[in-house]
Amino acid sequence: MKKYLLVGMIVALSLLTACGKKDFSKMSFNDGEYQGHYESDDKDHKDSADVIITIQDGKIVACTAEFKDGKGDIKGEEYGKQAGDDKYQKAQIAVQGFSQYADKLVEVQDPEQVDAISGATVSNKEFKEAVWDALEKAKK
């Protein structure tokens, strides 16, 4: 009996998990340029991500992304500088990592296929959420 209960619970959890994911392959989009935004709900780290995606013939042909810290400053060459050398080096690893996400999206087309880069994993989630926001606006 316990065996059947365990199998039933695994099947139910699998179905719930699958229902929560968006299936990019089954979506179709209008051509144009669409903006997406994501803002962290973490009150201590109000980071955000903004993307602009361009869709042509139903495919993502261009993407730009901008990441900001809780103060609204763009995470770029100066990001983390005020925190000391160690933290600055780590921050710059993150900047190098998340700067690749937009190009990777154009390559793979599906936001869920944009793998996280070490040092920029939180930004990966932020990027994907901003992309999904833009894609929702582009949906047919």
Side-chain angles (χ1 to χ4, degrees):
M1 184 68 173
K2 289 181 182 179
K3 187 177 182 181
Y4 291 114
L5 182 60
L6 179 62
V7 170
M9 288 175 53
I10 290 171
V11 169
L13 286 173
S14 298
L15 289 172
L16 286 173
T17 303
C19 291
K21 286 192 170 186
K22 298 173 184 160
D23 190 350
F24 182 82
S25 66
K26 294 180 181 177
M27 299 172 83
S28 58
F29 305 100
N30 294 304
D31 288 353
E33 190 174 274
Y34 300 92
Q35 295 182 357
H37 177 75
Y38 170 80
E39 186 171 309
S40 169
D41 54 4
D42 181 344
K43 65 182 178 210
D44 295 327
H45 302 284
K46 275 287 197 198
D47 294 350
S48 65
D50 291 291
V51 298
I52 299 174
I53 58 172
T54 304
I55 297 177
Q56 186 176 356
D57 298 325
K59 295 200 181 286
I60 301 169
V61 296
C63 178
T64 60
E66 186 173 79
F67 296 85
K68 295 181 181 175
D69 64 18
K71 296 176 186 172
D73 295 329
I74 295 172
K75 293 180 179 179
E77 289 180 22
E78 298 296 312
Y79 178 57
K81 211 170 213 176
Q82 296 174 340
D85 285 341
D86 281 348
K87 289 188 179 184
Y88 176 66
Q89 295 299 327
K90 288 179 182 178
Q92 289 306 297
I93 289 170
V95 169
Q96 290 172 355
F98 63 62
S99 66
Q100 299 175 45
Y101 291 151
D103 289 340
K104 189 66 175 175
L105 175 65
V106 174
E107 178 187 327
V108 299
Q109 293 294 301
D110 182 344
E112 295 307 314
Q113 299 302 315
V114 176
D115 293 331
I117 295 172
S118 181
T121 53
V122 172
S123 298
N124 181 266
K125 176 190 179 273
E126 295 170 352
F127 174 76
K128 288 179 180 181
E129 292 293 334
V131 170
W132 280 118
D133 182 49
L135 290 175
E136 283 296 319
K137 297 170 185 171
K139 267 192 337 190
K140 284 187 176 180

